[in-house]
Amino acid sequence: QVQLVESGGGLVQAGDSLRLSCAAAGRTLSTYALAWFRQAPGKEREFVATINAVNMNTNYINSVKGRFTISRDNAKNTLYLQMTSLKPEDTAVYYCAVRAARYSSTRYQDYDWWGQGTQVTVSS
């Protein structure tokens, strides 16, 4: 079992930056693929970014490419999402997720453990 605790969300203005953190307990994350998903009101949960455990390859949804950066610190058992140039359409609850596999996926159904979510609200 993996317990995940997200932090770093908040209310910001368009163009601002935020860094989300996801601290894990219960298992070492170094051999697992990790991801950030988000869910806006009335919309399905969508993948934002993934990072695998093999070569640290990353993958991003097109709408955040060049603005968001996913990273992991295996020594701290923590996942990060650095978000810059935030837009109102980035407003959502952001979730970190762990997949019990080395390679990542963009499908939320493929992830085994989830954090409780952290709200990010971007005002125009």
Side-chain angles (χ1 to χ4, degrees), residues 96-110:
C96 63
V98 178
R99 186 182 189 207
R102 291 181 176 269
Y103 289 95
S104 55
S105 167
T106 60
R107 290 168 18 104
Y108 71 85
Q109 298 93 334
D110 291 337

Side-chain angles (χ1 to χ4, degrees), residues 4 19-25 27-36 51-53 56 58 69-82:
L4 302 171
R19 188 176 82 155
L20 305 184
S21 299
C22 175
R27 293 196 184 188
T28 300
L29 298 183
S30 60
T31 58
Y32 294 147
L34 308 176
W36 288 97
I51 183 167
N52 71 29
M56 304 303 165
T58 57
T69 302
I70 187 171
S71 62
R72 59 193 297 167
D73 186 333
N74 289 335
K76 294 183 178 179
N77 226 27
T78 300
L79 174 69
Y80 302 98
L81 184 68
Q82 178 68 49

Side-chain angles (χ1 to χ4, degrees), residues 79-123:
L79 174 69
Y80 302 98
L81 184 68
Q82 178 68 49
M83 305 185 293
T84 64
S85 302
L86 282 161
K87 302 177 181 181
E89 51 263 42
D90 295 318
T91 295
V93 177
Y94 284 70
Y95 299 89
C96 63
V98 178
R99 186 182 189 207
R102 291 181 176 269
Y103 289 95
S104 55
S105 167
T106 60
R107 290 168 18 104
Y108 71 85
Q109 298 93 334
D110 291 337
Y111 287 80
D112 299 280
W113 298 287
W114 292 84
Q116 81 287 354
T118 185
Q119 177 71 46
V120 172
T121 303
V122 184
S123 64

Side-chain angles (χ1 to χ4, degrees), residues 4-67:
L4 302 171
V5 178
E6 296 116 336
S7 61
L11 172 62
V12 297
Q13 293 187 333
D16 285 350
S17 299
L18 279 175
R19 188 176 82 155
L20 305 184
S21 299
C22 175
R27 293 196 184 188
T28 300
L29 298 183
S30 60
T31 58
Y32 294 147
L34 308 176
W36 288 97
F37 286 77
R38 66 186 180 187
Q39 188 165 19
K43 294 188 177 180
E44 289 192 354
R45 190 169 298 192
E46 65 176 0
F47 107 94
V48 176
T50 65
I51 183 167
N52 71 29
V54 178
N55 50 16
M56 304 303 165
N57 273 0
T58 57
N59 187 24
Y60 298 90
I61 193 172
N62 285 339
S63 59
V64 308
K65 285 181 180 178
R67 299 189 298 122

